[in-house]
Amino acid sequence: MRKVVSVSLDEELESMLLKSARRQKISKSEVVQKALKQYFFLTDAKQFRKNLKKYAEKAGYLNEEDIYSDIS
């Protein structure tokens, strides 16, 4: 079931939305849907990484170099 949501955009963001939709030859709704999916994916990934950080540090992984040195 689809729902309609109203969103207020400033002129610059609206212009960017229109240009992106035209360039990709898709509707503005599709651009917004793709953007929201990407936003939720990235925020979920960031939260996942934050939750794992304490376990990684406990195991001795303090930065990405520590991980790379173990898998290289």
Side-chain angles (χ1 to χ4, degrees):
M1 179 181 197
R2 292 221 171 288
K3 298 280 185 176
V4 175
V5 178
S6 295
V7 178
S8 176
L9 304 175
D10 62 29
E11 288 181 17
E12 180 183 5
L13 196 52
E14 180 190 22
S15 175
M16 292 169 66
L17 174 60
L18 290 170
K19 287 177 186 175
S20 182
R22 285 186 195 129
R23 187 172 47 251
Q24 297 180 67
K25 297 181 180 164
I26 61 176
S27 69
K28 293 184 292 184
S29 290
E30 287 177 280
V31 174
V32 172
Q33 288 172 25
K34 286 181 177 189
L36 284 171
K37 286 178 184 178
Q38 184 177 26
Y39 170 81
F40 292 132
F41 175 82
L42 292 174
T43 55
D44 288 350
K46 185 176 180 180
Q47 185 62 45
F48 181 73
R49 185 176 179 156
K50 181 180 177 185
N51 291 342
L52 287 179
K53 185 176 180 183
K54 60 185 168 191
Y55 300 107
E57 289 175 347
K58 190 174 183 179
Y61 297 105
L62 304 178
N63 55 46
E64 291 180 0
E65 290 176 12
D66 294 335
I67 297 169
Y68 294 137
S69 67
D70 269 6
I71 62 172
S72 299

